[in-house]
């Protein structure tokens, strides 16, 4: 039997929802590189000067009263050093019921702050949720508390006016890329799905993101390639095929163009 060739995936084993505190332990082991097959909300109430987390190759210096939402599939690592706060492990099904923001559903969030008023509101909700979780555990009531909590925290993300049609298209594009990037690398496919011309879609993306559809697809492919080369045990050829490249040499050229490293060099750097 060959060695495990995938980044470890942490599962919700016997519950659709788990609630714990950072100081009293965690339903999974933080101290390794891993992915989740569920959503996780981390609320860092009190942290130290050295509190950091790594999320998809980005290192974040955590501060008091920050929240981070981790989506299934993201690569996560953090060494706990006495931080205080809450951890919500939520199944995909329940999370979709309590939070319907497309970008959060597909790619989570980087750490963001809660303002003082929302901190107080969230603490009241969590107190109620914690009481229910440790006593009657009525799933309907816990979902209601979770939905209230998600409404408050995502208010920080949605403080601007209602999304315009173009912003909605960007969100739809992000979702389409997430679902299809391994098999559909042509900008025209995404434009057709969104009922716009390729030229117009690129104009929207250029204005909103300062990039192009092709570059967004390439960045998503590159992220997944980095994940596998860094934390998995797949060969370069296996990673290439997993990401829809039929030619390993073409994949190597693609990777080097994006990073200035060959896949083998990058893998050695991360070892």
């Amino acid at each position: 039997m060959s060695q495990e060739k995938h980044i470890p995936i942490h599962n919700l084993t016997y519950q659709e929802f788990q609630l714990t505190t950072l100081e009293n332990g965690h339903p999974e082991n933080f101290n390794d590189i891993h992915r989740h097959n569920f959503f996780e909300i981390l609320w860092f109430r009190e942290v130290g000067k050295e509190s950091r987390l790594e999320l998809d190759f980005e290192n974040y210096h955590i501060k008091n009263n920050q929240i981070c939402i981790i989506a299934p599939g993201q690569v996560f690592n953090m060494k706990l050093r006495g931080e205080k706060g809450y951890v919500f492990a939520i199944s995909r099904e329940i999370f979709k019921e309590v939070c319907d923001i497309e970008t959060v559903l597909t790619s989570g969030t980087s750490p963001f702050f809660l303002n003082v008023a929302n901190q107080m509101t969230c603490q009241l909700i969590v107190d109620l949720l914690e009481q229910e979780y440790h006593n009657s555990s009525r799933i309907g009531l816990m979902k209601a508390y979770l939905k209230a909590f998600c409404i408050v925290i995502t208010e920080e993300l949605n403080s601007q006016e209602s999304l315009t049609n173009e912003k909605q298209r960007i969100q739809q594009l992000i979702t389409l890329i997430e679902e299809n990037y391994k098999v559909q690398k042509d900008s025209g496919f995404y434009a057709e799905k969104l009922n716009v011309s390729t030229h117009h879609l690129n104009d929207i993306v250029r204005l909103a993101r300062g990039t192009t559809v092709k570059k967004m697809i390439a960045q998503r492919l590159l992220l997944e390639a980095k994940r596998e080369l860094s934390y998995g045990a797949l060969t370069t050829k296996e990673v290439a095929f997993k990401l829809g490249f039929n030619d390993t040499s073409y994949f190597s050229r693609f990777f080097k163009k994006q990073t200035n490293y060959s896949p083998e060099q990058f893998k050695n750097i991360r070892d």
Side-chain angles (χ1 to χ4, degrees), residues 240-253:
F241 287 164
K242 185 173 182 178
L243 297 182
F245 291 87
N246 294 323
D247 184 344
T248 307
S249 61
Y250 176 65
F251 168 71
S252 295
R253 290 195 301 273

Side-chain angles (χ1 to χ4, degrees), residues 14-192:
Y14 62 93
Q15 292 173 293
E16 290 184 287
F17 168 64
Q18 293 178 24
L19 168 63
T20 188
T21 58
L22 287 169
E23 55 267 40
N24 291 333
H26 190 265
E28 51 161 312
N29 176 21
F30 258 12
N31 297 313
D32 65 352
I33 299 293
H34 63 277
R35 285 171 156 163
H36 305 132
N37 77 337
F38 53 89
F39 285 87
E40 188 164 75
I41 302 175
L42 304 172
W43 182 10
F44 298 98
R45 294 289 277 141
E46 296 180 28
V47 300
K49 291 182 180 179
E50 301 304 317
S51 293
R52 297 178 184 275
L53 65 81
E54 182 181 358
L55 187 61
D56 278 339
F57 300 93
E58 294 290 337
N59 283 288
Y60 298 95
H61 186 189
I62 303 301
K63 298 182 180 179
N64 289 349
N65 285 307
Q66 281 192 315
I67 282 183
C68 180
I69 303 174
I70 304 170
Q74 290 192 279
V75 174
F76 173 77
N77 189 29
M78 181 177 181
K79 300 287 191 296
L80 291 177
R81 296 185 174 88
E83 291 82 2
K84 295 181 180 180
Y86 299 95
V87 183
F88 307 81
I90 308 167
S91 71
R92 295 168 187 253
E93 293 74 22
I94 289 181
F95 194 86
K96 286 178 181 177
E97 287 185 50
V98 301
C99 178
D100 60 359
I101 298 175
E102 199 68 46
T103 52
V104 177
L105 287 170
T106 55
S107 55
T109 70
S110 56
F112 61 94
F113 286 100
L114 284 180
N115 65 39
V116 175
N118 282 340
Q119 289 171 31
M120 295 173 65
T121 303
C122 283
Q123 189 61 63
L124 290 171
I125 295 170
V126 172
D127 289 344
L128 291 169
L129 179 56
E130 202 169 20
Q131 181 179 332
E132 183 63 27
Y133 179 76
H134 291 297
N135 291 288
S136 301
S137 294
R138 290 166 288 189
I139 191 66
L141 187 51
M142 289 193 295
K143 282 182 185 178
Y145 290 144
L146 276 173
K147 187 173 182 67
F149 184 79
C150 285
I151 287 171
V152 176
I153 65 172
T154 55
E155 189 176 89
E156 303 280 353
L157 300 173
N158 289 329
S159 56
Q160 299 177 7
E161 295 180 358
S162 298
L163 293 172
T164 63
N165 288 336
E166 291 190 352
K167 287 182 179 178
Q168 288 177 340
R169 281 209 176 99
I170 291 292
Q171 287 193 336
Q172 291 166 349
L173 175 61
I174 291 169
T175 301
L176 282 169
I177 291 174
E178 185 66 28
E179 292 171 349
N180 299 283
Y181 71 94
K182 293 179 184 178
V183 293
Q184 296 290 349
K185 300 176 175 63
D186 179 44
S187 302
F189 168 83
Y190 299 94
E192 184 179 344

